[in-house]
Amino acid sequence: MLTAKEIAKDIWWVGAIDWNERLFHGYTTEKGITYNAYLIMDEKVTLIDTAKAPFADELMARISQVVDPAKIDVVISNHVEMDHSGSLPVVAKACPNATFYASTKGCEGLKAHYGDIAEFHPLKTGDELSIGKRTLTFVETPMVHWPDNMVTYDATDQILFSNDAFGQHFASSKHFDVDNDMCEVMKQARKYYANIVLPYSPQAAKAAAVVKTLDLKMICPAHGIIWTEHIPDIVAAYDEFTSWNVVDKAAVIYDSMWKSTEKMAKAICEAFVEEDVQAQYINLNDTHESDILAYVMDAKYVCVGSPTLNMQMMPNVAKFLTYFRGLSPKPLNAKRVGLAFGSYGWAPKGPKDVAAVLEEIGMQMPVETLTHQWIPGQAYLDSIQETVREAIAKSL
Ligand code: FEO
């Protein structure tokens, strides 16, 4: 078993690594997940966050490598979601002398999840808790990523325990950014943001602004690696992520029955490339929607294609649009250009239904839906260039 790791003087990583987890409530985690928990050995021994329930034994074993769990005085739960609080019932039993803290909403949520395992004491932004040499300060960060979230700042060590914020689903035996492949870490930080935090960007921007006011040597999230030398990189990335700015790139996302819609998708993608717009051609059967979100998060042009199947769009397309709708808020969509397309046999219901969704979620729809009966020939495919050119020209 991995041992507890001292990440700063008297501060220990005691969390868990879920190497083979490949799905986190609907998003693929090809690099696994970590549930980071931290133990501060001060006059009051303090545990910050726990781990998902199946990892309670690992968590307790790592804590026990550093201190008898019965000696823990303070348990801080920065977030109710079960990937961080799932081991609290075990912790509560093993730490009979501990006082438990969470945000006000966190206290309510923890009681709703676990009943009376402990008395949870509420904290609000600006509250301080002395644990000996150190004083911990708390900042509520609602909706990053649930209403209860908060972060904990240790000014003595200049460490921010940020819970979900600045996290990545990335399992590694090396805890620090500098010891990992930063291209992969930043890629996973982007995917995490696109799939977890994107709708809550105004709230995340406030949390990121607070971070900029702090002296920081480390950001210790509850998922993934610890930020040290790359703090400026992740803070800059959050500036970009939270801005809801779009860039000049296109995603052409489709499903097809007999490759007619696929031909249209390819023509649309190539038309964007001809107009010098970066584009990706994405078959929904080959790429998971959570990977698509990581690309499409800041795409200006979102083109979605479906043929008509039983008088509606293809199920894969409906699944993507449902996922996308939840993660892409209207103020962001107002900056995007939508284009629906698809072939049909006797009724263009599939592409029209796609267009209705793109319009309903607030995208600019400057050109008519591209529909074609039966198999599109080369002349029709060539004409798509003009439609794409028009969509670009008419976009805001
Ligand atoms: Fe990592 Fe919102 O839980």
Side-chain angles (χ1 to χ4, degrees), residues 10-11 38-42 44-49 73-78 99 101 123-139 150-161 214:
D10 293 331
I11 301 180
Y38 302 95
L39 186 68
I40 306 178
M41 295 300 296
D42 207 321
K44 290 184 181 173
V45 177
T46 299
L47 176 67
I48 299 180
D49 289 322
D73 300 292
V74 171
V75 176
I76 293 163
S77 178
N78 278 323
T99 306
Y101 296 92
L123 294 165
K124 59 184 186 314
T125 294
D127 281 355
E128 294 184 340
L129 184 68
S130 172
I131 58 169
K133 279 193 312 189
R134 299 168 179 82
T135 297
L136 303 177
T137 308
F138 305 93
V139 179
M150 67 175 192
V151 298
T152 300
Y153 180 56
D154 162 12
T156 305
D157 299 287
Q158 299 182 342
I159 296 178
L160 180 71
F161 299 95
L214 302 175

Side-chain angles (χ1 to χ4, degrees), residues 319-346:
K319 181 173 175 241
F320 168 73
L321 287 174
T322 300
Y323 192 71
F324 181 65
R325 184 207 305 261
L327 286 165
S328 197
K330 282 191 171 172
L332 169 55
N333 287 335
K335 300 176 182 174
R336 301 191 200 269
V337 173
L339 173 60
F341 64 95
S343 80
Y344 63 96
W346 48 97

Side-chain angles (χ1 to χ4, degrees), residues 24 79 81 83-84 145 164 192 223:
F24 183 82
H79 184 20
E81 195 166 11
D83 47 336
H84 309 293
H145 123 261
D164 276 345
Y192 182 93
H223 296 297

